[in-house]
């Protein structure tokens, strides 16, 4: 945790809250995270308070970004979230807002917080790629360090893996290749274990160029391929071998 003199950081937090007419968050939270909610007509902000570390001050500034940038007041005093906002865009804008506000207050943003912010925005970009066929904003993706094409291939690779048949461990499998378990939301570079059960399957795997030989573990030789190459592997299976997920 990055700490500093507690009293100045608390005063800086009060300055941020004064900008929106508050003397403290509506909901006081002891945790390291915050949020902005619109339960009915009003807005509520949750953030660590009082701000005794730079991280807590950053979280407060981030949530104030949601408060100021992403909410709007309708007639008769009702608050809502602005239409057409993508979550990854909102989080990116709030990270930028928090960085600007801290720098304006004379608090340098540590590289650790910048890296965490990029990882957080990258998480929401990956969610976006899973939920839509559209492409995210190129500038935001580059800032977060996301290779969109590679991430999309990884998502397709997971889907190709999920579409494969299953083979129980206690049953004989007259197949050429068996595939091990892959996590639900695999990132690019996630290793997929491939096991050739016949000589034909082994030759086929080596010809694809996607799988690298690891070791002759157990009865069958093992190979490994990145998840983003699984779509290529699955497509190449047609008329050549049978692919199944080991379960």
């Amino acid at each position: 945790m990055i700490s500093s003199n507690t009293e100045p950081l608390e005063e800086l937090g009060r300055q941020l809250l004064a900008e929106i007419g508050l003397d403290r968050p509506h909901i006081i939270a002891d945790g390291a995270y915050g949020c902005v909610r619109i339960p009915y007509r009003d807005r509520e902000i949750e953030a660590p308070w009082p701000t005794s570390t730079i991280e807590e001050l950053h979280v407060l500034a981030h949530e104030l970004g949601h408060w100021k940038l992403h909410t709007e007041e309708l007639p008769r005093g009702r608050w809502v979230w602005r239409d057409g906002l993508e979550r990854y865009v909102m989080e990116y804008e709030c990270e930028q807002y928090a960085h600007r506000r801290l720098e304006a207050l004379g608090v340098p943003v540590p590289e650790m917080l910048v890296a965490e912010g990029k990882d957080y925005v990258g998480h929401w970009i990956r969610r976006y790629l899973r939920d839509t066929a559209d492409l995210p904003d190129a500038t935001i993706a580059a800032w977060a360090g996301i290779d969109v094409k590679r991430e999309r291939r990884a998502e397709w690779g997971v889907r190709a893996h999920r579409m494969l048949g299953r083979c129980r461990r206690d049953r004989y499998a007259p197949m050429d290749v068996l595939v091990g378990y892959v996590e639900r939301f695999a990132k690019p570079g996630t290793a997929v274990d491939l096991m050739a059960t016949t000589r034909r399957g082994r030759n086929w795997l080596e010809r694809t160029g996607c799988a690298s030989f690891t070791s002759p573990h157990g009865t069958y030789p093992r190979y490994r391929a990145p998840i983003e190459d699984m779509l290529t592997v699955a497509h190449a299976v047609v008329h050549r071998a049978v692919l199944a997920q080991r379960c």
Side-chain angles (χ1 to χ4, degrees), residues 3-13 51-54 57 107:
S3 61
S4 183
N5 192 319
T6 300
E7 186 174 349
L9 289 176
E10 182 176 344
E11 178 57 33
L12 293 178
T51 50
S52 58
T53 66
I54 295 178
L57 188 66
V107 180

Side-chain angles (χ1 to χ4, degrees), residues 93-109:
E93 291 177 347
C94 287
E95 283 297 304
Q96 297 300 308
Y97 179 87
H99 295 171
R100 290 195 302 269
R101 294 304 299 125
L102 262 62
E103 290 174 355
L105 293 173
V107 180
V109 181

Side-chain angles (χ1 to χ4, degrees), residues 69-221:
L69 302 176
H70 303 141
T71 63
E72 62 180 347
E73 187 176 14
L74 299 181
R76 300 181 181 178
R78 181 175 175 227
W79 288 91
V80 297
W81 293 103
R82 294 185 185 276
D83 289 335
L85 296 175
E86 294 293 346
R87 183 63 182 268
Y88 80 90
V89 176
M90 294 170 61
E91 300 303 337
Y92 168 76
E93 291 177 347
C94 287
E95 283 297 304
Q96 297 300 308
Y97 179 87
H99 295 171
R100 290 195 302 269
R101 294 304 299 125
L102 262 62
E103 290 174 355
L105 293 173
V107 180
V109 181
E111 288 298 322
M112 180 192 72
L113 292 182
V114 176
E116 289 179 353
K118 291 182 178 182
D119 287 343
Y120 185 58
V121 174
H123 161 76
W124 286 107
I125 292 177
R126 293 186 183 96
R127 290 281 298 267
Y128 180 80
L129 289 171
R130 287 196 293 268
D131 297 337
T132 178
D134 296 333
L135 295 177
D137 182 273
T139 300
I140 299 177
W143 179 83
I146 296 294
D147 185 332
V148 174
K149 290 184 179 179
R150 194 172 178 217
E151 292 283 351
R152 177 62 43 88
R153 286 175 56 202
E155 295 297 337
W156 286 339
V158 172
R159 293 192 181 188
H161 179 268
R162 297 297 175 204
M163 293 171 63
L164 301 176
R166 293 177 179 269
C167 176
R168 290 178 54 183
R169 295 180 183 275
D170 58 347
R171 299 284 180 85
Y172 170 72
M175 303 175 181
D176 291 316
V177 181
L178 294 179
V179 185
Y181 173 78
V182 175
E183 61 187 82
R184 184 178 181 187
F185 300 128
K187 295 181 181 180
T190 299
V192 180
D193 290 325
L194 304 170
M195 185 168 58
T197 59
T198 67
R199 170 63 65 177
R200 184 181 70 163
R202 179 175 178 176
N203 293 338
W204 167 75
L205 276 175
E206 293 174 351
R207 286 198 303 270
T208 63
C210 296
S212 58
F213 179 75
T214 55
S215 64
H217 181 76
T219 306
Y220 306 113

